[in-house]
Amino acid sequence: MYRGLFISFEGLDGSGKTTQVKMLYDYLIEKNIPAIMLREPGGAFVSEKIRSIIMENDISPYTEALLYAAARAELVGSVIKPSLLAKKIVVCDRFIDSSVAYQGYARGLGAENILNINKFGIGGLLPDITFFMDITPEASLKRRENATGLDRIESEGLAFHEKVYSGYKDLFLKFPGRIHRIDALGETVKIHNEIICFIEKQLFKD
């Protein structure tokens, strides 16, 4: 019998994580495994409202970090925890690691500070599995150079995303039991199959 799992996907913009989130969700639904697909910030009514404020306004790094934490707290309380209790598989495009990498490292607010303000809102909840879609800032920028409609954070320069990448690498080293590295430069289908093989081993654990 499968059990509820909380799975997050992390990485730089252009890493293909959103594509893999959708492919994993579709696979689970096809297998008749109850699942829900979410994104951060967002995924709940109030959280989506906060997302709009973050993406559309020029705000201070401190305000940005607190708004992300608020959106996450609402998502956890209203959607993620109830879904896990119902033994659903929660597949989330970004979670707390994004805040650590983007606000803690790239904005210079400090990883521990970001962890502390989030712990209060999420009650210690962390993903069971995090897939780190590993792509260099240079490769990420190349993938995004022809993209249109980039949001405020996606439009930051190379130096910013280099700091984000450094944050993700540090997190991978710090939490090897939770964070599974994926070579994001691989073929989309091969990446999906690698993820499926890993997930199937977890679903039927005692």
Side-chain angles (χ1 to χ4, degrees):
M1 179 65 179
Y2 56 81
R3 61 189 181 90
L5 276 179
F6 181 14
I7 305 165
S8 65
F9 282 74
E10 296 284 357
L12 294 172
D13 295 304
S15 65
K17 60 179 176 52
T18 301
T19 297
Q20 293 299 330
V21 165
K22 181 63 164 58
M23 291 177 75
L24 174 57
Y25 172 76
D26 288 345
Y27 168 84
L28 294 169
I29 295 303
E30 183 180 332
K31 295 294 183 180
N32 294 315
I33 299 174
I36 184 170
M37 179 174 62
L38 303 169
R39 70 171 182 176
E40 272 215 324
F45 178 77
V46 171
S47 302
E48 290 289 341
K49 295 291 185 181
I50 296 173
R51 179 188 180 92
S52 297
I53 295 173
I54 294 171
M55 300 303 177
E56 297 170 9
N57 296 276
D58 186 14
I59 54 181
S60 78
Y62 296 96
T63 303
E64 182 179 275
L66 290 167
L67 286 174
Y68 272 111
R72 184 168 296 123
E74 177 65 18
L75 180 64
V76 166
S78 64
V79 181
I80 295 179
K81 283 187 176 179
S83 296
L84 293 174
L85 287 172
K87 294 188 177 181
K88 293 182 179 180
I89 309 300
V90 176
V91 184
C92 196
D93 189 341
R94 299 195 181 282
F95 197 63
I96 192 172
D97 297 308
S98 283
S99 284
V100 173
Y102 280 82
Q103 284 73 53
Y105 280 78
R107 298 291 192 208
L109 300 186
E112 288 303 316
N113 290 333
I114 298 303
L115 285 170
N116 287 335
I117 65 172
N118 276 273
K119 283 179 181 177
F120 177 75
I122 64 177
L125 178 69
L126 289 174
D128 297 294
I129 303 164
T130 296
F131 290 107
F132 167 38
M133 302 294 292
D134 191 350
I135 186 174
T136 65
E138 292 79 12
S140 168
L141 184 63
K142 187 173 182 179
R143 283 187 177 183
R144 294 183 292 114
E145 62 186 0
N146 296 320
T148 58
L150 297 179
D151 63 40
R152 183 174 62 85
I153 295 174
E154 290 171 335
S155 300
E156 294 281 0
L158 180 61
F160 177 86
H161 292 286
E162 285 175 340
K163 293 177 183 176
V164 174
Y165 185 57
S166 177
Y168 275 130
K169 288 192 295 183
D170 283 354
L171 285 165
F172 171 63
L173 293 174
K174 189 175 182 180
F175 301 104
R178 172 172 66 86
I179 301 179
H180 182 71
R181 178 188 172 275
I182 299 287
D183 181 359
L185 294 179
E187 294 180 9
T188 300
V189 174
K190 287 185 177 180
I191 291 173
H192 172 65
N193 289 336
E194 179 181 348
I195 290 168
I196 293 304
C197 287
F198 189 87
I199 290 298
E200 285 183 338
K201 294 176 183 177
Q202 309 301 313
L203 285 178
F204 301 101
K205 276 186 176 181
D206 291 334

